[in-house]
Amino acid sequence: MAPITLFFIPYAGGSASVSFKWKKLLLPQIKLVPLELAGRGIRSGEPLKDSIEEMSEDLLLKISQEIAPGDPYAIYGHSMGTMIAFELYYKLVAGGYGKPAHLFVSGGRAPHVPRDFPWAHDLPAEQFRTHLQRYGQLSEAIFDNRELYDYFIPVLRADFKAVETYEYMAPAVPLNCSVTALTGLTDNTMTLQDAEAWGQHTDQNFRIFTFDGGHFFIHDEVERITQIINETLERSAVTNRMQH
């Protein structure tokens, strides 16, 4: 298997460090590049972006520092990261980078599926906090620690605004790469059908894997997720070789 770069895009309020645990489990030929969004982690000094468009433009710049046009790459996005990944695909192809070997969309509804709950990003503090708790696993420590809370709330508000104000525009052409969706069976922010709907966006292979957990299964299922990535990228490398 030839070397390939895997870009990871985190969820709302999340940091790229979520994927650090993957490194030791991914095949040595897979170079993991966690993409940090502006305003958090190592980029916490930068101003936050509050639209999917701005976020995808920003990450396009970061990706262009990691790969050259024609280099093999794949993208894994979780939750909000799936929306950014979808928009990034078209920006990368338009920018001459070629299509990714694979797109992994995890914990996120297909981009055309309408959101069925009201906006939360501009709710008063207490109501916003209540809304956040429906996602589960948002650590109580954040709510109990004033300093952490003051740091995270602007990040979460900006991210929720990006997700809630996103307007899906049907692209002229479907995704020309294989897509794998991963979803938690007890995710109370979306349905299994919302994840299956990703299949409508690609003219290549589509597969879906389900997990027992909720929205943040990504934290508990590191071994199975990395196994799916390894097997998928290995298979895509073989298919690629046969076609050339």
Side-chain angles (χ1 to χ4, degrees):
M1 177 180 166
I4 184 168
T5 302
L6 173 67
F7 294 105
F8 172 78
I9 309 171
Y11 48 82
S15 160
S17 61
V18 171
S19 64
F20 288 0
K21 289 186 228 157
W22 296 6
K23 286 191 174 170
K24 60 180 187 299
L25 296 167
L26 289 170
L27 292 169
Q29 299 93 324
I30 301 172
K31 179 192 176 191
L32 178 68
V33 176
L35 293 171
E36 195 69 88
L37 292 159
R40 67 210 77 197
I42 53 168
R43 302 183 64 193
S44 56
E46 298 177 39
L48 292 160
K49 314 268 187 232
D50 62 2
S51 76
I52 298 295
E53 175 60 26
E54 284 183 310
M55 289 171 173
S56 53
E57 276 293 337
D58 173 59
L59 292 188
L60 178 64
L61 196 64
K62 297 290 168 201
I63 288 174
S64 70
Q65 295 161 5
E66 295 287 342
I67 57 169
D71 287 352
Y73 72 97
I75 303 173
Y76 187 113
H78 186 78
S79 192
M80 176 180 79
T82 65
M83 300 165 85
I84 300 171
F86 179 73
E87 294 297 330
L88 252 178
Y89 168 93
Y90 290 98
K91 288 179 164 55
L92 284 158
V93 170
Y97 285 90
K99 60 182 186 179
H102 206 86
L103 190 60
F104 298 92
V105 286
S106 162
R109 56 166 64 77
H112 69 282
V113 176
R115 298 178 56 78
D116 53 359
F117 35 92
W119 283 8
H121 73 267
D122 51 2
L123 285 173
E126 274 313 301
Q127 285 165 269
F128 187 59
R129 177 180 175 151
T130 306
H131 177 78
L132 292 176
Q133 284 163 330
R134 68 175 287 181
Y135 286 85
Q137 268 196 12
L138 262 169
S139 166
E140 281 306 314
I142 292 176
F143 297 120
D144 296 341
N145 179 326
R146 191 75 228 175
E147 213 171 306
L148 264 182
Y149 185 79
D150 290 344
Y151 169 78
F152 272 106
I153 290 306
V155 173
L156 284 162
R157 283 196 188 274
D159 288 355
F160 272 74
K161 183 180 178 186
V163 170
E164 290 164 359
T165 58
Y166 173 71
E167 287 184 20
Y168 168 72
M169 305 282 283
V173 289
L175 300 167
N176 185 223
C177 69
S178 297
V179 176
T180 296
L182 303 89
T183 189
L185 290 171
T186 56
D187 187 336
N188 59 5
T189 68
M190 59 180 283
T191 65
L192 181 57
Q193 288 72 25
D194 293 344
E196 285 169 340
W198 276 102
Q200 298 167 34
H201 286 274
T202 177
D203 58 12
Q204 302 292 312
N205 290 339
F206 174 72
R207 293 192 306 162
I208 185 162
F209 292 92
T210 58
F211 296 80
D212 289 335
H215 190 63
F216 289 110
F217 67 86
I218 189 168
H219 292 291
D220 310 314
E221 296 280 2
V222 173
E223 287 188 8
R224 189 165 163 228
I225 290 168
T226 47
Q227 186 186 354
I228 290 167
I229 294 170
N230 286 338
E231 287 171 2
T232 304
L233 293 183
E234 215 167 16
R235 189 183 305 116
S236 113
V238 169
T239 312
N240 219 355
R241 270 207 307 278
M242 285 160 68
Q243 287 170 351
H244 288 84

